[in-house]
Amino acid sequence: MMDETLDTLGRTISDALADSVLGYEVAHHELTVRAKAADIVSVACFLRDDPRCLFWSIIDVTAVDWPGRERRFDVVYHLLSPKHNVRVRVKIETDESAPVPSIIGIFPGADWFEREAYDLYGVVFVGHPDMRRLLTDYGFEGHPLRKDFPLTGFVEVRYDDELKRVVYAPVRLTQEFRNFDFLSPWEGTDYVLPGDEKAAKIGDGGQKS
């Protein structure tokens, strides 16, 4: 019954916004609508105001990175209709250079969500009044949730006791345990890690040497 309701709603949205909606699907009892990025403001306005929708509450705006795709980002909007007790997911596609219209004029609560998507993925929202980083530092380089972003980052931040201030420096992997050379999970490593000398030797009955 829920899937039938969602399918009817998906057809309603798709028919009403035929020029803006690329399609919809119902999977795992959830409705996903695919829309054109340039029309996201009109789509959001319809979803909020149409009496068959009334999605007044914005739950989240985030992104998904598909680096092998021409338009590598999905920008994903989650909305809730308290009136009809139903949710909808709206997806649009964009790339690294194409900005996305901000929906902050329709949903003021999208403010920090859009800033977070910009900070972590690099998606720029045109029309946002304060498009600054939100979670990373002011001098941060890159966007850490992109799949091609290095796990170690580019710089490390630490407090210098001599300079009495926070300093930025290139990442240095000085820990020996970062040099993984496991041939088999049963064989272990060819080097000795600090602390291994405290372990009991094989054949000594478990007693420390």
Side-chain angles (χ1 to χ4, degrees):
M1 181 63 69
M2 173 58 73
D3 285 355
E4 293 179 5
T5 300
L6 294 177
D7 186 70
T8 300
L9 179 60
R11 285 200 306 271
T12 298
I13 296 171
S14 183
D15 292 343
L17 301 172
D19 294 333
S20 301
V21 170
L22 302 174
Y24 75 93
E25 62 179 355
V26 177
H28 308 291
H29 310 300
E30 296 180 348
L31 171 63
T32 300
V33 175
R34 292 180 290 106
K36 297 179 181 178
D39 297 336
I40 186 59
V41 173
S42 59
V43 171
C45 189
F46 175 85
L47 293 176
R48 183 194 65 180
D49 297 339
D50 190 275
R52 296 165 294 182
C53 299
L54 300 180
F55 290 98
W56 300 329
S57 179
I58 185 165
I59 303 300
D60 191 22
V61 179
T62 187
V64 181
D65 186 14
W66 305 95
R69 202 174 67 185
E70 182 178 357
R71 287 182 292 183
R72 67 181 291 180
F73 299 115
D74 282 337
V75 181
V76 187
Y77 304 80
H78 292 94
L79 305 174
L80 168 68
S81 172
K83 177 71 174 180
H84 300 303
N85 191 27
V86 68
R87 296 173 184 264
V88 65
R89 178 190 298 111
V90 181
K91 287 185 178 182
I92 62 175
E93 293 184 5
T94 189
D95 57 30
E96 299 175 72
S97 58
V100 174
S102 172
I103 62 167
I104 196 172
I106 310 299
F107 295 102
D111 185 352
W112 280 18
F113 292 144
E114 292 182 347
R115 285 182 59 187
E116 182 182 34
Y118 162 68
D119 190 359
L120 301 182
Y121 292 94
V123 177
V124 177
F125 294 87
V126 174
H128 192 289
D130 189 19
M131 191 88 286
R132 292 180 297 140
R133 289 185 180 271
L134 181 66
L135 299 176
T136 57
D137 203 1
Y138 293 111
F140 194 87
E141 298 180 9
H143 305 280
L145 285 189
R146 288 187 177 184
K147 291 182 179 177
D148 53 6
F149 187 83
L151 294 178
T152 58
F154 297 107
V155 296
E156 58 185 2
V157 183
R158 62 181 175 82
Y159 182 80
D160 191 296
D161 286 327
E162 294 182 359
L163 299 176
K164 303 300 181 184
R165 63 180 177 85
V166 173
V167 296
Y168 295 82
V171 173
R172 292 181 300 170
L173 305 181
T174 56
Q175 303 95 323
E176 185 178 0
F177 64 81
R178 287 181 181 263
N179 300 320
F180 300 108
D181 58 1
F182 299 123
L183 299 177
S184 163
W186 313 112
E187 295 173 4
T189 63
D190 294 331
Y191 53 82
V192 179
L193 293 175
D196 282 357
E197 69 279 1
K198 300 177 183 179
K201 294 182 178 180
I202 298 177
D204 64 1
Q207 298 296 322
K208 291 183 179 180
S209 57

